[in-house]
Amino acid sequence: MGWFWADVSPAAARTPSGHPVAAGNKTPPRGCPVNKKTIDVLRPDDAGRTGPSASSCPVPHATRTEEKPKSIMSQLNPLNYMFPDLSQKPAPNQTLALPTSREESTIPKGSGDGTWEYPSPQQMYNALLRKGYTDTDITAVESMVSVHNFLNEGAWAEIVGWEQRFARGLYRGWQVCKRGEAHAPEELERHWDGEDTQPTLVRFQGRPKDMTPKATMLQVLGLIYPSKFGTEPPFDRHDWYVSRDVNGERKQIRYVIDYYSGEPEPTGEPVFYLDVRPAATPLGAAERIIRWGSDVWWKATGGDVREQNQ
C-alpha cells in the first residue's frame, strides 16, 4: 500500500508484490536526469552528514566529511540531526547561476510554524559537489530538485491517507477500510466527524544501511520465486515522525519509507516507487493489517458483486 512513482505513466517495472500503486497529482519534469549521483546525495551517510535546517526539506541532503564524530556532533541540529544549513553561495568556477529560492512544501512542521522548505537548486548543486560529483551537469540541477520535491509530496500524501483513516482510532479506521481501498473516499466522507485530520512532520531520520524487515523478506522471496517477487533492494530508507492528535494529546507516529528505483521509461525518464506505511509497532501493525487485510478480503469475497446483488 502506498506506492508512488515519479511519472504518471511509467513503464512496466517489477515492484515488490502485493501493494497497489497510488499515483500523485503532480507531474514531474519530462526527461528529468535523476541518476545514481542524485540518489547518493539525497542519502544520509553514517560517516558524516550535512543537510537542511529545521525549516528545510524532510529528506536530508548528506555529504561525507573527514571530521571526527565528536566535532560533527557539536554542529548538528537537534531537530533533524543534520548540519545547520547548506551553502547558497555559488561554487568556485561555477559556470551558470542557479536559483537560490526555496520552494515551500505542503508538509506542516511539527512546531506549528508553517511548512517545511525544499532545498534550492544552488544548495542541491553544492551538495553534489561536496559529495564528490564534480562532473555534475549544472543545467540538470533544477530538474533534479523538481523530482526530489515531487517524490516528497507523494510520500506525504500517502502518510496523510493513513492518518485520515486511523487518527481517530482503530475502530474508525476499520469502518473506513472495511469495503476496500476503492471505497475508502466514500467511507471517509460517510464517517467524517466534522474535523479535518491535520498531521504534522516533527522530524525525520535517514537509515540507508538499515533494511526494513519487509524489504528483507521481499529479497528472500525474490531468491525463491524471482519471477513474482524479484526486485532490487531499496536504495534508501527514511523514518518520518508524524504528530497525531490522540484525545487532545499529541503523539508521535513513526512511518517507514522504502525507496525503490524501477526500470526507466523508453525515453530515459526515471521511475521511482515509494513504499510508505506505519512502522511495525503494535499500533502500526494493527493499522497495516486492517487496511491491507480489509482490501484483500473485500476483493477475495467479491464484495462489490455482493452489494450489487442485494
Side-chain angles (χ1 to χ4, degrees), residues 54-275:
S55 65
S56 57
C57 169
V59 174
H61 293 256
T63 62
R64 293 188 181 275
T65 177
E66 298 299 324
E67 295 184 47
K68 297 179 181 180
K70 183 176 180 181
S71 61
I72 291 175
M73 290 300 294
S74 67
Q75 302 178 57
L76 297 185
N77 182 321
L79 176 65
N80 55 21
Y81 308 107
M82 296 293 156
F83 282 97
D85 205 354
L86 278 173
S87 174
Q88 292 274 30
K89 296 180 179 179
N93 302 318
Q94 183 172 322
T95 58
L96 178 68
L98 289 172
T100 58
S101 58
R102 302 175 64 180
E103 180 182 342
E104 286 279 347
S105 76
T106 63
I107 306 174
K109 291 188 289 185
S111 63
D113 183 22
T115 59
W116 295 78
E117 291 180 312
Y118 290 124
S120 69
Q122 184 65 62
Q123 288 176 313
M124 171 73 83
Y125 184 61
N126 288 338
L128 286 163
L129 293 180
R130 291 184 62 180
K131 191 78 175 182
Y133 297 114
T134 56
D135 62 340
T136 298
D137 181 1
I138 194 171
T139 64
V141 172
E142 290 188 62
S143 293
M144 293 178 186
V145 172
S146 296
V147 167
H148 162 267
N149 299 356
F150 173 72
L151 290 176
N152 281 285
E153 291 297 319
W156 183 247
E158 292 295 331
I159 289 175
V160 170
W162 282 96
E163 289 295 301
Q164 287 175 335
R165 289 162 172 79
F166 294 103
R168 300 289 189 269
L170 294 178
Y171 179 68
R172 162 81 185 294
W174 175 78
Q175 289 179 311
V176 173
C177 297
K178 64 183 179 181
R179 295 174 62 222
E181 281 297 294
H183 297 282
E186 175 186 344
E187 294 299 322
L188 280 169
E189 183 175 354
R190 177 182 300 175
H191 296 284
W192 186 52
D193 57 7
E195 296 184 10
D196 290 325
T197 301
Q198 294 291 342
T200 60
L201 178 60
V202 178
R203 61 188 176 94
F204 49 86
Q205 182 182 18
R207 303 175 60 183
K209 295 184 178 180
D210 299 332
M211 188 175 292
T212 62
K214 179 180 178 182
T216 302
M217 184 180 300
L218 288 172
Q219 292 303 300
V220 173
L221 290 173
L223 295 175
I224 300 172
Y225 196 176
S227 63
K228 183 174 179 61
F229 295 100
T231 184
E232 291 294 320
F235 63 79
D236 202 0
R237 167 194 173 172
H238 290 159
D239 289 8
W240 289 17
Y241 293 81
V242 173
S243 179
R244 176 189 294 180
D245 189 334
V246 180
N247 298 324
E249 296 183 2
R250 303 304 292 184
K251 181 177 180 180
Q252 283 192 25
I253 306 297
R254 181 165 63 95
Y255 282 86
V256 178
I257 308 172
D258 282 326
Y259 292 73
Y260 294 87
S261 56
E263 292 295 327
E265 293 276 14
T267 57
E269 296 164 14
V271 176
F272 298 100
Y273 301 86
L274 307 187
D275 187 3

Side-chain angles (χ1 to χ4, degrees), residues 273-303:
Y273 301 86
L274 307 187
D275 187 3
V276 184
R277 71 273 187 195
T281 60
L283 177 62
E287 292 176 357
R288 288 156 71 164
I289 290 171
I290 291 172
R291 184 173 182 182
W292 296 342
S294 296
D295 187 58
V296 172
W297 177 258
W298 182 261
K299 293 176 180 177
T301 59

Side-chain angles (χ1 to χ4, degrees), residues 46-57:
D46 291 340
R49 298 171 179 173
T50 184
S53 64
S55 65
S56 57
C57 169

